[in-house]
Amino acid sequence: MAPPLLLLLLASGAAACPLPCVCQNLSESLSTLCAHRGLLFVPPNVDRRTVELRLADNFIQALGPPDFRNMTGLVDLTLSRNAITRIGARSFGDLESLRSLHLDGNRLVELGSSSLRGPVNLQHLILSGNQLGRIAPGAFDDFLDSLEDLDVSYNNLRQVPWAGIGAMPALHTLNLDHNLIDALPPGVFAQLSQLSRLDLTSNRLATLAPDPLFSRGRDAEASPSPLVLSFSGNPLHCNCELLWLRRLARPDDLETCASPPALAGRYFWAVPEGEFSCEPPLIARHTQRLWVLEGQRATLRCRALGDPVPTMHWVGPDDRLVGNSSRAWAFPNGTLEIGVTGAGDAGAYTCIATNPAGEATARVELRVLALPHGGNTSSEGGRPGPSDIAASARTAAEGEGTLESEPVVQVTEVTATSGLVSWGPGRPADPVWMFQIQYNSSEDETLIYRIVPASSHHFLLKHLVPGADYDLCLLALSPAAGPSDLTATRLLGCAHFSTLPATPLCHALQAHVLGGTLTVAVGGVLVAALLVFTVALLVRGRGAGNGRLPLKLSHVQSQTNGGTSPMPKSHPPRSPPPRPQRSCSLDLGDTGGCYGYARRLGGAWARRSHSVHGGLLGAGCRGVGGSTERLEESVV
């Protein structure tokens, strides 16, 4: 009797209701109600026969496979308003009878492809109010045929698994509102014949691609299943791309235009159809002609304007559309890059800009300067391939492995902007057609190439960056072994050097400026004082003699009282006294060789200033561009 009693007690314990929950058994269906119980995890002793399990408004943080194991009869599972951040793979793997799953109001950031695997008969999936930024493409694969209601509103989604959504034939309601969706794939809703409500409110949609689904909402009485469409709160760009939507005439919605500026803020359905216009493409700028050395990278640019933004394409010299490949890349902004150019890449390229309003084209000429190749290049099939001379010198140095012990390449006579590269003659057994110098600086990683004839052993680099570190390598271009072989390159050596810093403005120039200013100031003060002193003397002398200078008398005669005055003695006539020389103290404008004190003093100070500052410039500014006279002019 003991073993049967023990089994009965175990069975009764397995069917017991969890302590904080309330269990209801109505019509042979068990409901376990655990809402608002402060649970931190799913109770482990939930009856496996439960049909309805409510775990809303708790603090559950994660879900795993053991939480719902063997609950094959569960139909309704509510996990709303918890703190769930993670759902383990196949956490609902045993819920084959599940019809409704509520996960709204949690903290989910991502759903993996295995997070929702298991409920193959799911009809209602509510994921609103989370923080979802990504849903894996295969997350809905197990219930594509059965799902009727999908709600992913109030999340951070930019993309949703459109392929899966478009393959849900039983879908009735789709809520995508209040996300970050900025584009809808064309025809994504074409197969959703049962869809009756689509909510796209408050996203980032600037345009909508034509879809037969939207026309079902035009005539609700004629359509077998009318569509309730909401797309207000989007920054609609009202141009010709939305003209098809404007012709649906849905007066019950409140959408507005966000652009272009002429239509911003206007009610979408009130804008006349004639104002939904586009601008054809206009190519604003493009590369006209580009010359590159064989083996180098070629970048062709083309920029176009238009409304909507034009789509850019490139057509090669062979009249074929240029697509992305291992050596060519066509970017959406109109840039075409060819990684390693060859002789076959030369020719005329055509840039094509298209939008719904038209197209525009531009011609770009690419010329590839071929490097000399060994062998008979004129023979049949003897056109050599592109040279590997454009390979990085640093990579070549690492792969070479064997370099001479002594440095072959030297950089001497380095200044701020130049340096002399010299190298010794190559080995007689290795013929050289030409040398190539490759270098770059710490200021710019762009590799610069210089081609030098084989007869030269020196090359002067110019236009360098002052105060920069440079890495330089010398390569020798050798003839190819056969007509169809690549031209061979051989690394001769590398060198590292640094340019001198930029020559600062010499201190002599500063002294010259300050000294010149001081000289002018002191000279002006002295001249002013001398003028004041001279004027004072002149005024004082005129005041003492009533404005006349005293006369000097050479002959004095006496006068008698009433007597006859004696006859004066006759003197021989004398020449008139020499005219006194004019005073130059105030005569600043005399051009007859008389200079005033101010003019003479100013000239003396100017000569002294020129001599002194010329000496300063000669001592401190040797080697600086510009002459002393030019610096003087700039200062004065």
Side-chain angles (χ1 to χ4, degrees), residues 433-454:
W433 281 2
M434 63 178 61
F435 296 103
Q436 184 189 55
I437 298 175
Q438 302 178 356
Y439 64 94
N440 60 359
S441 70
S442 58
E443 302 294 332
D444 188 359
E445 296 296 332
T446 303
L447 201 61
I448 303 175
Y449 303 84
R450 294 290 183 266
I451 297 297
V452 184

Side-chain angles (χ1 to χ4, degrees), residues 17-24 30-35 37 52 54:
C17 186
L19 183 59
C21 303
V22 175
C23 299
Q24 297 178 352
L30 180 61
S31 297
T32 304
L33 310 179
C34 302
R37 301 298 177 179
E52 180 184 9
R54 297 185 182 181

Side-chain angles (χ1 to χ4, degrees), residues 558-569:
S558 62
Q559 182 178 4
T560 61
N561 296 326
T564 304
S565 58
M567 294 297 294
K569 296 181 179 181

Side-chain angles (χ1 to χ4, degrees), residues 9 65 75 129 137 198 301 334 367 416 437 595:
L9 291 176
V75 175
L198 175 60
R301 305 184 186 276
R367 297 189 180 182
I437 298 175
Y595 297 92

